[in-house]
């Protein structure tokens, strides 16, 4: 009788024990920039809404695809409930994403595309249109004539390749008096972006404008312009930080194309929750982009986009 009571108590305890919380891995390209911190805030909010937690991990360098593969591989080996990934390289991450899918782990891709359809959704800015948006603004700012160059991110990064393609095609299609004088890759290195911009300015004394297609390239390019006091060279750039917003306010940056990283984190993680609940998430979600100029900085909606609240529980 006593043994039966013990067994009943053990069974009751097991029945009352809460089920382990599901863990969703979120793997951005990097971790330090406010863009990725805002992605994390969005992911954390979506995970909380479906009783899950976020395991956040990223390479130290935004160009390190090998380290990103190791991170995702570890998550697959531990069979996390799902993985939201911003691939550093559109080809290098294919094998591990396809392995995750084969093992029943839903993968949501955000920020930058990947060369496989073995993902449940793709959440990103329309980067090609963002590049065209930047081209139209830069063309207007330089009177639709003159020389312009691009300080890019790295070869193989789908998001920035799309921005570059959109920018170049818009210039070629609509602005015959604008001459493209080069596309150089800074490889997420601000010092290299500064040096490349210096070289571009030296080689093209009449340079009218620059398009920088990511935050680190923008930071280096604007420093080169500030060193020379070259406000006459118009800089249109992707992404924002407190320092870059200040440079926009001072006139060293003409305009910023600002994405919505909170939406990227939220919608990619939410898609995993939907998949786990038996629903089919949308195959693609446009998280949006906004062109911001200095006069726009006083607008409340622009302030909220530039300086989102990113506090919340860390997991």
């Amino acid at each position: 009788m006593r043994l039966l009571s013990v067994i009943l108590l053990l069974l009751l305890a097991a029945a009352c024990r809460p089920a382990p919380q599901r863990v969703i891995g979120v793997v951005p390209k990097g971790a330090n920039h406010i863009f990725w911190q805002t992605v994390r805030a969005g992911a954390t909010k979506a995970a909380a809404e479906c009783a899950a937690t976020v395991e956040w991990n990223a390479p130290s360098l935004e160009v390190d695809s090998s380290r990103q593969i190791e991170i995702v591989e570890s998550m697959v080996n531990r069979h996390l409930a799902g993985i939201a990934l911003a691939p550093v390289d559109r080809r290098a991450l294919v094998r591990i994403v396809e392995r995750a899918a084969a093992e029943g782990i839903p993968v949501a891709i955000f920020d930058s595309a990947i060369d496989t359809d073995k993902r449940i959704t793709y959440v990103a800015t329309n980067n090609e249109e963002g590049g065209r948006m930047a081209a139209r603004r830069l063309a207007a700012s330089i009177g639709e004539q003159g020389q312009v160059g691009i300080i890019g991110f790295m070869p193989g990064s789908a998001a920035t390749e799309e921005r570059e393609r959109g920018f170049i095609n818009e210039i070629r299609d609509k602005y015959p008096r604008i001459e493209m004088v080069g596309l150089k890759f800074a490889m997420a290195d601000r010092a290299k972006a500064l040096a490349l911009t210096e070289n571009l300015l030296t080689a093209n004394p009449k340079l009218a404008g620059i398009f920088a297609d990511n935050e680190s390239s923008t930071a280096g390019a604007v420093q080169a312009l500030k060193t020379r006091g070259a406000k006459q060279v118009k800089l249109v750039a992707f992404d924002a930080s407190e320092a870059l917003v200040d440079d926009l306010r001072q006139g060293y940056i003409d305009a910023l194309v600002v994405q919505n990283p909170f939406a990227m984190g939220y919608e990619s993680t939410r898609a995993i929750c939907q998949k786990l609940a038996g629903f089919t998430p949308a195959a693609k979600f446009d998280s949006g982009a906004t062109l911001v100029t200095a006069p726009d900085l006083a607008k409340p909606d622009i302030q909220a986009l530039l300086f989102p609240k990113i506090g919340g529980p860390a997991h």
Side-chain angles (χ1 to χ4, degrees), residues 234-264:
K234 302 300 181 182
L235 173 61
V236 175
F238 245 85
D239 295 330
S241 67
E242 193 168 340
L244 297 184
V245 169
D246 192 50
D247 291 329
L248 175 65
R249 191 177 286 113
Q250 294 182 41
Y252 286 104
I253 295 176
D254 179 67
L256 293 168
V257 179
V258 180
Q259 303 181 85
N260 190 336
F262 187 94
M264 288 185 191

Side-chain angles (χ1 to χ4, degrees), residues 39-73:
V39 167
R40 183 178 188 174
T44 300
K45 183 176 189 297
E49 290 175 358
C50 71
T53 59
V54 164
E55 180 178 314
W56 172 267
N57 204 346
S60 299
L61 299 175
E62 293 191 17
V63 295
D64 192 349
S65 59
S66 296
R67 175 58 185 147
Q68 196 179 45
I69 290 169
E70 291 175 359
I71 292 168
V72 178
E73 196 162 42

Side-chain angles (χ1 to χ4, degrees), residues 277-306:
F279 299 100
T280 301
K284 194 168 185 179
F285 185 91
D286 183 354
S287 51
T290 304
L291 185 78
V292 178
T293 62
D296 297 325
L297 294 177
K299 298 176 181 177
D301 58 331
I302 298 299
Q303 283 289 309
L305 187 62
L306 292 171

Side-chain angles (χ1 to χ4, degrees), residues 171-224:
I171 294 295
R172 287 177 177 169
D173 292 347
K174 296 183 179 177
Y175 305 102
R177 294 185 297 166
I178 294 179
E179 177 190 1
M180 295 293 306
V181 294
L183 164 59
K184 303 296 182 182
F185 298 107
M187 305 302 291
D189 186 331
R190 296 183 183 196
K192 186 170 183 177
L194 188 155
L196 290 172
T197 305
E198 288 281 4
N199 293 342
L200 189 64
L201 291 164
T202 301
N204 304 279
K206 295 183 180 180
L207 190 73
I210 297 170
F211 172 48
D213 65 21
N214 66 96
E215 186 272 340
S216 56
S217 291
T218 304
V222 76
Q223 187 58 48

Side-chain angles (χ1 to χ4, degrees), residues 9-314:
L9 285 171
L10 289 173
L11 290 173
L12 183 62
C16 293
R17 189 180 302 128
Q21 201 166 28
R22 291 177 299 187
V23 179
I24 297 172
V26 181
V27 187
K29 294 177 182 177
N32 296 325
H33 187 257
I34 190 172
F35 183 94
W36 302 119
Q37 295 169 24
T38 309
V39 167
R40 183 178 188 174
T44 300
K45 183 176 189 297
E49 290 175 358
C50 71
T53 59
V54 164
E55 180 178 314
W56 172 267
N57 204 346
S60 299
L61 299 175
E62 293 191 17
V63 295
D64 192 349
S65 59
S66 296
R67 175 58 185 147
Q68 196 179 45
I69 290 169
E70 291 175 359
I71 292 168
V72 178
E73 196 162 42
S74 171
M75 292 177 173
V76 173
N77 290 342
R78 289 178 288 123
H79 213 83
L80 267 56
I83 299 170
L85 169 68
V88 167
D89 186 287
R90 68 184 307 153
R91 289 171 287 276
L93 274 292
V94 167
R95 183 190 64 80
I96 190 60
V97 166
E98 291 186 343
R99 182 190 153 198
E103 296 190 18
I105 301 171
V107 179
I109 299 297
F110 69 91
D111 179 62
S112 194
I114 192 168
D115 289 347
T116 178
D117 61 359
K118 302 301 182 182
R119 71 308 185 256
I120 61 168
T121 192
Y122 174 43
V123 180
T125 304
N126 183 336
N127 284 294
E128 187 159 345
E129 176 54 31
R132 288 183 176 273
M133 187 187 302
R136 292 191 290 270
R137 173 64 192 187
L138 188 56
S141 297
I142 65 174
E144 299 186 4
Q145 62 182 336
Q147 297 176 325
V148 301
I150 302 173
I151 306 297
F153 179 55
M154 64 172 279
S157 171
T160 48
E161 285 181 341
E162 290 163 7
R163 294 168 200 171
E164 292 149 11
R165 181 167 62 248
F167 182 89
I168 291 168
N169 288 343
E170 187 77 0
I171 294 295
R172 287 177 177 169
D173 292 347
K174 296 183 179 177
Y175 305 102
R177 294 185 297 166
I178 294 179
E179 177 190 1
M180 295 293 306
V181 294
L183 164 59
K184 303 296 182 182
F185 298 107
M187 305 302 291
D189 186 331
R190 296 183 183 196
K192 186 170 183 177
L194 188 155
L196 290 172
T197 305
E198 288 281 4
N199 293 342
L200 189 64
L201 291 164
T202 301
N204 304 279
K206 295 183 180 180
L207 190 73
I210 297 170
F211 172 48
D213 65 21
N214 66 96
E215 186 272 340
S216 56
S217 291
T218 304
V222 76
Q223 187 58 48
L225 297 181
K226 290 167 79 172
T227 299
R228 294 192 178 208
K231 284 187 178 180
Q232 78 280 3
V233 179
K234 302 300 181 182
L235 173 61
V236 175
F238 245 85
D239 295 330
S241 67
E242 193 168 340
L244 297 184
V245 169
D246 192 50
D247 291 329
L248 175 65
R249 191 177 286 113
Q250 294 182 41
Y252 286 104
I253 295 176
D254 179 67
L256 293 168
V257 179
V258 180
Q259 303 181 85
N260 190 336
F262 187 94
M264 288 185 191
Y266 182 86
E267 294 296 341
S268 56
T269 305
R270 180 171 173 265
I272 291 171
C273 292
Q274 290 175 324
K275 184 68 174 179
L276 294 173
F279 299 100
T280 301
K284 194 168 185 179
F285 185 91
D286 183 354
S287 51
T290 304
L291 185 78
V292 178
T293 62
D296 297 325
L297 294 177
K299 298 176 181 177
D301 58 331
I302 298 299
Q303 283 289 309
L305 187 62
L306 292 171
F307 305 109
K309 295 178 181 178
I310 59 174

